[in-house]
Amino acid sequence: MRTVWALMAPVLLHLIFAAAALASEPVTGVDILIRSKSDGRVIVQTITDNRGAIVIKEMRPGSYSVEAGSKLPMALIKRSGSWGIALIPVATKTAKPQSHRARPSAQGMQVDIVVPEGVPISYTVIVTY
């Protein structure tokens, strides 16, 4: 029985954290750009899906910048002061969920994240307001 719980625990924790992140309304069609803070290289460039999410596979440890909404109309970005960007690790053994408030600007929203040392980690990124 312990083996079953040990195998299911990461999945259950992922679902619990995902539900908490989705307590705010997810935003679909938001442009996302993730860059390495060390060299400015673009790692991911995409838009959020119909769940307001993207999946980033196997991010290496380091510091990154998540930029969202640079292509959205400024009126939409300024509509609410409660924008957020959540990163939920697909496997919770090596990383904790991250939740960030994002302040809108003329360039969209931007938050800095740190992927902890260890093996590369896959994240689900959710943009909410």
Side-chain angles (χ1 to χ4, degrees):
M1 187 66 157
R2 284 185 180 177
T3 304
V4 172
W5 281 111
L7 293 172
M8 291 184 62
V11 173
L12 292 172
L13 286 173
H14 176 73
L15 293 173
I16 290 167
F17 288 121
L22 291 174
S24 300
E25 186 177 336
V27 188
T28 63
V30 175
D31 54 295
I32 301 283
L33 192 72
I34 299 178
R35 355 175 146 256
S36 168
K37 296 282 283 181
S38 63
D39 61 9
R41 184 173 44 99
V42 173
I43 306 298
V44 174
Q45 185 172 8
T46 189
I47 61 170
T48 57
D49 64 15
N50 61 354
R51 301 173 297 138
I54 66 167
V55 175
I56 308 167
K57 295 191 178 187
E58 297 188 357
M59 286 185 74
R60 299 201 177 278
S63 298
Y64 298 89
S65 171
V66 179
E67 302 164 23
S70 66
K71 296 179 182 174
L72 292 176
M74 198 59 190
L76 175 61
I77 290 177
K78 286 191 171 182
R79 181 173 69 174
S80 170
S82 61
W83 287 87
I85 297 174
L87 284 90
I88 302 160
V90 173
T92 58
K93 291 179 184 177
T94 56
K96 295 180 180 177
Q98 299 180 40
S99 183
H100 303 272
R101 288 282 176 219
R103 294 188 184 273
S105 72
Q107 291 79 36
M109 299 155 287
Q110 186 266 328
V111 296
D112 292 332
I113 64 167
V114 175
V115 176
E117 289 297 321
V119 298
I121 300 168
S122 296
Y123 285 99
T124 299
V125 178
I126 303 171
V127 177
T128 61
Y129 69 81

